[in-house]
Amino acid sequence: MKSLLSVDDAATAEEREVSGETLRIRGGRPLTGRVEVKGAKNLATKAMVAALLGETSSTLRDVPDISDVQVVRSLLEVHGVVVTDGDEPGSMVFDPSGAVSAHFEEIDAHAGASRIPILFCGPLLHLLGEALIPDLGGCRIGDRPINFHMDALRAFGAIVDKSYEGIRITAPDGLTGAKIELPYPSVGATEQVLLTAVKARGVTELRNAAIEPEIMDLIAVLQKMGAIISYEPNRVILIEGVDTLRGYDHRCIFDRNEAASWACAALATDGDIFVGGARQQEMLTFLNVFRKAGGWFDVREDGIQFRRDGALKPVVVETDVHPGFMTDWQQPLIVALTQAEGRSIVHETVYENRLGFTEALVQMGADIVVHPDGIASTDRRVPRRALEQAAVINGPTPLHGADVEVPDLRGGYSYVIAALAAEGESIVRNVGIIRRGYEKFFTKLAALGADFDVIG
Ligand code: EPU
């Protein structure tokens, strides 16, 4: 076996981990062993933005070493926040005492790199009275509009202007609490409201809020800072604005998306993976589907072990907001479902273009048909949305190697897993995108016995 760990020079291995873009993978070998998951990408990056709201330094622990974190770190730095290492590995300290407006060129350098810059609006408006947001990036999984964010900011009294530079938002009269009802329980828009309302004058009532565990963890961060936030029944969040907030010391919630990804890798490759740091509570919905699909798991104090429990079985899944089955889980699951005995259906109801990645799986031998307008079916839990799609997966089909290009973060991870499950050799290009959300990806693959080379 030739894998990254067999590279003699550790510095070279590290370099490849941060710059490798193309993998040659020899499949047909189960992934077995142990991986550790750290803090959730979808909390850490938001908690970093929250540090801008404090009058003293904040410490964030278990921060994953991923490129989305680097983008947010750079954006904080161009706004004058001093970022240093904390007192333990994986911790970061943010000192916002010298925060300043950034120059357009500095902000623009981050254009297209991540979705997180939009969450700087509220904190920057409180701090400096204006915010400039570059073109937003993130995964190419549909239109990803920002209308909920802008409508919410306007409700607080902000003025939104589009200019050649991007979006300029100002609040000459400060920000005032508002009654806001989101058209959909958007994760990002809920975070936007939280990060803005905590220091707005008066009370904000947010209806139809997202209630993902990462949002609850962000609320915990803000409460540590001095915010007053209560979570009411039926997706209602009440925020009483306060004049000042202090820094926090917080350990990030674990990354349940990464944990679910490795669980699906065990299922797809017929392997056996212990995911250190994974917790049951935040993964209940995933674990039910995993079990129905023929997976076996054992919840332990320090993590969860995942493997197959005999032949894989077909399932019908609808993605949904929490506590439903997360949209981020469906791509790696679909790879495993290509090996299930029968017909599975995955309804994607959150994003309008998150099944495009299946084309490459078909190229590798999978039998998957995507219905662009979804398919009608009975017993649906989620009301049908205009933008939904459905994938029908007939299995089991042997997968064979192919030359594929990673389209987005979760799709990319799935291609690597499919290549590892397939017979023969695959080339997977553009794997850099996977580093947006998976820490030390090559090192973890190698530790699980994956047979691959970094060839570019
Ligand atoms: N939407 C709008 N207008 C808006 C905002 C959202 O129409 O202003 C729509 C979106 O187009 C989408 C739906 O609302 O159809 C849900 O989007 P949401 O705002 O909930 O997603 P997000 O905040 O942009 C976060 C995660 C995603 C994850 C989703 C759903 C981050 C940085 N991203 O995105 O994570 O899939 O919530 O849980 O937290 C990933 O990790 O790979 C990833 C894409």
Side-chain angles (χ1 to χ4, degrees):
M1 183 185 85
K2 192 175 176 213
S3 73
L4 195 66
L5 287 191
S6 66
V7 175
D8 295 337
D9 179 356
T12 312
E14 206 165 293
E15 257 168 46
R16 289 182 186 201
E17 182 72 83
V18 295
S19 64
E21 285 293 330
T22 306
L23 297 183
R24 183 193 293 124
I25 296 176
R26 288 164 292 277
R29 175 192 290 265
L31 291 188
T32 55
R34 178 180 176 123
V35 288
E36 299 294 325
V37 292
K38 285 231 282 232
K41 160 176 97 65
N42 292 349
L43 176 272
T45 44
K46 328 295 172 65
M48 290 170 75
V49 179
L52 262 178
L53 290 161
E55 291 194 348
T56 52
S57 293
S58 291
T59 302
L60 190 61
R61 302 178 187 278
D62 276 354
V63 183
D65 184 8
I66 52 175
S67 56
D68 265 16
V69 162
Q70 294 312 326
V71 171
V72 180
R73 178 186 180 142
S74 306
L75 267 172
L76 286 170
E77 286 172 340
V78 300
H79 284 99
V81 177
V82 177
V83 185
T84 49
D85 289 341
D87 55 5
E88 61 177 36
S91 63
M92 277 184 174
V93 178
F94 308 96
D95 176 1
S97 56
V100 286
S101 288
H103 295 292
F104 167 67
E105 295 74 26
E106 292 171 319
I107 298 176
D108 196 48
H110 298 84
S114 160
R115 297 270 302 167
I116 312 295
I118 197 173
L119 295 178
F120 276 67
C121 294
L124 287 179
L125 287 173
H126 285 302
L127 207 58
L128 310 165
E130 68 165 357
L132 183 59
I133 305 302
D135 267 354
L136 297 173
C139 285
R140 286 173 284 142
I141 50 182
D143 258 359
R144 305 194 75 180
I146 53 169
N147 51 330
F148 303 165
H149 294 253
M150 294 305 127
D151 289 348
L153 289 166
R154 286 191 193 97
F156 284 108
I159 298 166
V160 178
D161 286 312
K162 287 199 175 150
S163 73
Y164 70 97
E165 298 173 322
I167 301 172
R168 183 175 288 279
I169 302 154
T170 49
D173 302 323
L175 298 167
T176 309
K179 283 191 179 213
I180 297 168
E181 174 150 9
L182 296 178
Y184 182 79
S186 149
V187 168
T190 299
E191 293 160 342
Q192 182 76 264
V193 170
L194 287 170
L195 290 165
T196 308
V198 283
K199 282 186 77 180
R201 282 189 301 269
V203 177
T204 295
E205 180 183 297
L206 175 63
R207 296 191 162 269
N208 207 19
I211 52 166
E212 269 63 8
E214 295 78 15
I215 297 225
M216 292 301 149
D217 209 33
L218 180 63
I219 290 177
V221 167
L222 293 167
Q223 190 180 49
K224 283 179 177 172
M225 299 178 80
I228 300 173
I229 304 173
S230 54
Y231 169 50
E232 309 284 321
N234 299 323
R235 297 189 176 275
V236 177
I237 299 178
L238 293 180
I239 306 120
E240 295 176 40
V242 296
D243 289 340
T244 57
L245 293 170
R246 56 184 171 275
Y248 61 79
D249 188 331
H250 190 79
R251 190 171 298 282
C252 299
I253 188 173
F254 79 103
D255 198 316
R256 64 202 174 108
N257 289 343
E258 183 176 356
S261 300
W262 291 117
C264 292
L267 212 55
T269 65
D270 199 4
D272 189 339
I273 301 180
F274 181 81
V275 182
R279 286 202 315 237
Q280 180 182 18
Q281 293 294 328
E282 293 81 3
M283 298 187 71
L284 291 174
T285 309
F286 174 81
L287 293 173
N288 286 335
V289 173
F290 185 81
R291 178 172 279 159
K292 284 193 208 168
W296 174 96
F297 58 87
D298 184 32
V299 179
R300 298 201 219 130
E301 208 170 318
D302 58 341
I304 307 180
Q305 183 184 355
F306 298 95
R307 59 175 155 79
R308 282 189 193 177
D309 187 15
L312 297 189
K313 297 177 217 137
V315 289
V316 176
V317 181
E318 305 158 64
T319 64
D320 193 9
V321 293
H322 188 75
F325 190 89
M326 280 199 79
T327 166
D328 304 276
W329 298 336
Q330 55 91 346
Q331 298 94 328
L333 179 72
I334 284 180
V335 180
L337 293 179
T338 65
Q339 304 311 305
E341 292 178 0
R343 193 173 81 142
S344 298
I345 303 177
V346 175
H347 301 273
E348 170 57 54
T349 79
V350 179
Y351 289 111
E352 73 265 40
N353 187 22
R354 221 177 185 179
L355 290 171
F357 81 102
T358 56
E359 276 174 27
L361 301 184
V362 171
Q363 206 185 320
M364 297 171 92
D367 177 352
I368 304 176
V369 176
V370 173
H371 298 258
D373 300 318
I375 46 178
S377 63
T378 51
D379 300 336
R380 286 285 301 274
R381 200 173 73 83
V382 186
R384 204 155 167 219
R385 288 187 79 205
L387 47 66
E388 76 178 41
Q389 295 186 304
V392 177
I393 306 123
N394 282 305
T397 46
L399 299 179
H400 52 77
D403 189 329
V404 293
E405 176 153 346
V406 164
D408 64 72
L409 173 62
R410 308 290 168 198
Y413 179 96
S414 305
Y415 286 6
V416 172
I417 297 313
L420 288 163
E423 285 302 324
E425 196 172 277
S426 293
I427 303 293
V428 185
R429 302 177 193 277
N430 205 23
V431 291
I433 291 183
I434 301 175
R435 282 192 286 274
R436 284 195 40 227
Y438 293 88
E439 178 183 64
K440 299 187 174 62
F441 185 54
F442 299 167
T443 309
K444 287 180 182 175
L445 283 176
L448 293 172
D451 186 2
F452 69 100
D453 305 303
V454 184
I455 58 168

